[in-house]
Amino acid sequence: MNDVATPAAPGRTWPDEGLTRIPYWVYTDEALRRQEQQRLYQGETWNYLCLEADLAQTGDYVSTFVGETPVVAVRAEDGELYAFENRCAHRGALIALENAGRTDQFTCVYHAWSYDLQGTLKGVAFEQGVAGKGGMPPGFDKPAHSPRKLRVATTCGLVFGSFSDDVPDLEDYIGEAVLGRIRRILGKGEIEVLGRFTQKLPNNWKLYFENVKDSYHASLLHLFLTTFDVNRLTQKGGLIVSEDGGNHVSYSMVIPDERHGSEYRDQGIRSENQDYTLHDTSFLQGTDEIGDGITLQILSVFPGFVLGQVWNSFVVRQVLPKGVDETELHWTYFGFREDTPEQRTARLKQLNLVGPAGLVSMEDGCVGGFVQRGIATAEDERAVVQMGGDATSSSDTRATEASVRGFWKAYRRHMGL
């Protein structure tokens, strides 16, 4: 359990208005950042590690992070998945240096201490010394000197890890309503990775995770989405927020030949600009491959997992803090083994909508930096998050900030704020 008796941010007080006001010090306070590592990432949360497809064979491993803690996820000889801290028990050096690979053991390059695929220390170079001199003390317990191990759980081909023994089972943690929307996409077949990117953001990780949950902003910030009718607040859609607030889904549908009103034009919103046209209209000729009419779905699991669908493009995003004002996004685009050549072509075309060089996500990458720069001397001020009232519940409109408030509901509970 978290030590909530110790203030996470000494001297800081959350505004009396509750979840409708976000104090700007939460994005700039260095002491709070250190507390997040303990209370969130090493606390009662599940953190996305990789796809099961990344660990298909014995010895396949991925080097990743839980918060700022380096970890290794690996498939061992018994066929099970394991995860452990990527830190040698001897002097603390990284055990695995590559981002991914296949091995039959891990050996630290510093002093050659070696670990099996479950992360248990098995070998100490010159453990008995040389010519009867030196070496480790008799009875040195190698397994007791292994790096910290994580609980590992999978669902729908996703691998999550947790440092906590008290966190609920993964599927209970996600909740059935959100889990059903994960199955909606990942239940289609066997995942095939199409590509990966890493994107660096000049802002606190919470600004990006809020952005993901902010269904209100998408058709206002992203000119492409609105102008080409990919996403408008006036389209049919809704919002699902888990009971604890931490997990969410927003979704919308493009109805063929639907006539739009003049809401954006009447308000002079720049994101509708009919001067723009597409040279290749096949870019947005998607198919309803799931059969429910949903053309856009963004889903998050607290504190750092995102699953996105825009038409026929699917992507997993992993949100990783790298400092109080630096964040790293790991993007993994995927399709399915059963895809036809036409489906694969559509996915590859439409993935240009998202990702660091995409038509949409580069704007999300910028706007977090705009906020971080804008609040540089405003720690005592606060953001207003009141669109749709003060609730954190599901709704049939996306003109609400309910899922952003839900994020802060979960964050404050974990952090004791």
Side-chain angles (χ1 to χ4, degrees):
M1 295 292 289
N2 292 330
D3 177 18
V4 296
T6 302
R12 306 287 195 183
T13 303
W14 197 274
D16 292 339
E17 294 91 339
L19 299 175
T20 64
R21 298 294 185 275
I22 312 302
Y24 288 132
W25 50 259
V26 298
Y27 309 109
T28 60
D29 191 301
E30 182 63 35
L32 187 68
R33 182 190 71 82
R34 291 193 295 271
Q35 286 292 320
E36 288 172 348
Q37 299 305 310
Q38 295 297 319
R39 301 191 184 204
L40 295 184
Y41 298 107
Q42 297 185 31
E44 296 176 21
T45 59
W46 283 103
N47 294 271
Y48 172 75
L49 301 179
C50 61
L51 298 171
E52 279 198 80
D54 296 324
L55 307 175
Q57 304 294 322
T58 297
D60 285 350
Y61 72 90
V62 169
S63 301
T64 183
F65 294 86
V66 170
E68 297 183 21
T69 304
V71 300
V72 179
V74 59
R75 187 176 295 278
E77 295 89 343
D78 62 0
E80 299 296 321
L81 301 181
Y82 295 86
F84 51 89
E85 194 175 9
N86 188 3
R87 175 185 57 81
C88 182
H90 180 212
R91 298 300 303 274
L94 294 172
I95 299 170
L97 299 179
E98 302 295 333
N99 291 334
R102 182 175 296 167
T103 188
D104 55 7
Q105 67 171 9
F106 296 92
T107 302
C108 177
V109 298
Y110 198 177
H111 298 92
W113 285 31
S114 59
Y115 302 83
D116 67 13
L117 297 181
Q118 298 184 27
T120 301
L121 178 62
K122 291 295 186 181
V124 173
F126 295 105
E127 182 177 0
Q128 306 303 321
V130 176
K133 298 180 180 178
M136 299 296 286
F140 177 70
D141 186 352
K142 289 194 287 293
H145 290 81
S146 301
R148 292 181 293 176
K149 299 183 180 182
L150 286 75
R151 287 176 63 188
V152 175
T154 65
T155 187
C156 302
L158 306 171
V159 181
F160 286 79
S162 177
F163 280 104
S164 172
D165 292 328
D166 299 320
V167 66
D169 290 344
L170 176 60
E171 296 193 351
D172 291 336
Y173 177 88
I174 296 173
E176 186 56 36
V178 175
L179 187 61
R181 296 307 181 107
I182 295 177
R183 295 190 185 110
R184 171 184 169 271
I185 292 177
L186 296 178
K188 282 179 52 58
E190 185 180 355
I191 290 175
E192 181 176 34
V193 174
L194 299 179
R196 305 177 197 271
F197 289 103
T198 296
Q199 180 180 10
K200 293 184 180 297
L201 303 177
N203 54 264
N204 186 274
W205 70 274
K206 297 185 287 295
L207 287 170
Y208 184 79
F209 211 58
E210 284 182 300
N211 172 276
V212 166
K213 291 173 173 290
D214 179 2
S215 56
Y216 173 43
H217 90 281
S219 65
L220 304 174
L221 173 65
H222 304 304
L223 182 148
F224 189 93
L225 293 183
T226 307
T227 297
F228 296 104
D229 295 337
V230 178
N231 184 18
R232 288 171 171 250
L233 283 175
T234 51
Q235 290 170 339
K236 184 178 180 181
L239 193 69
I240 299 169
V241 185
S242 64
E243 187 173 345
D244 70 354
N247 313 322
H248 102 290
V249 185
S250 64
Y251 61 94
S252 62
M253 304 178 185
V254 174
I255 309 298
D257 302 321
E258 182 180 38
R259 294 180 64 85
H260 296 296
S262 58
E263 294 88 349
Y264 287 82
R265 187 167 56 253
D266 293 346
Q267 296 182 69
I269 295 173
R270 67 158 188 87
S271 59
E272 182 183 78
N273 190 329
Q274 298 306 320
D275 293 335
Y276 289 92
T277 58
L278 288 175
H279 287 291
D280 179 7
T281 57
S282 69
F283 180 52
L284 289 178
Q285 290 174 357
T287 58
D288 184 11
E289 60 182 295
I290 297 177
D292 57 9
I294 294 175
T295 49
L296 187 145
Q297 175 180 292
I298 305 296
L299 177 154
S300 69
V301 175
F302 187 89
F305 171 77
V306 182
L307 174 64
Q309 172 208 348
V310 182
W311 278 108
N312 302 102
S313 175
F314 303 121
V315 65
V316 164
R317 303 176 221 171
Q318 183 185 26
V319 183
L320 295 173
K322 293 297 177 184
V324 74
D325 57 0
E326 186 178 351
T327 300
E328 206 167 86
L329 290 182
H330 293 184
W331 299 75
T332 303
Y333 301 93
F334 64 90
F336 301 94
R337 297 279 182 198
E338 302 80 4
D339 283 350
T340 64
E342 292 77 16
Q343 285 176 312
R344 171 169 292 203
T345 298
R347 298 195 205 290
L348 292 174
K349 283 186 176 182
Q350 292 168 6
L351 65 79
N352 288 294
L353 283 165
V354 293
L359 298 170
V360 174
S361 298
M362 62 180 179
E363 295 161 340
D364 287 329
C366 285
V367 78
F370 295 164
V371 176
Q372 194 79 45
R373 289 156 58 189
I375 63 174
T377 61
E379 289 191 341
D380 294 332
E381 303 296 326
R382 68 281 304 273
V384 179
V385 185
Q386 210 161 4
M387 182 65 65
D390 60 4
T392 61
S393 52
S394 303
S395 70
D396 59 2
T397 179
R398 291 170 297 126
T400 175
E401 292 169 313
S403 50
V404 177
R405 290 187 291 273
F407 166 75
W408 289 107
K409 177 182 176 181
Y411 180 89
R412 292 181 65 187
R413 179 173 63 83
H414 283 281
M415 294 293 293
L417 286 172

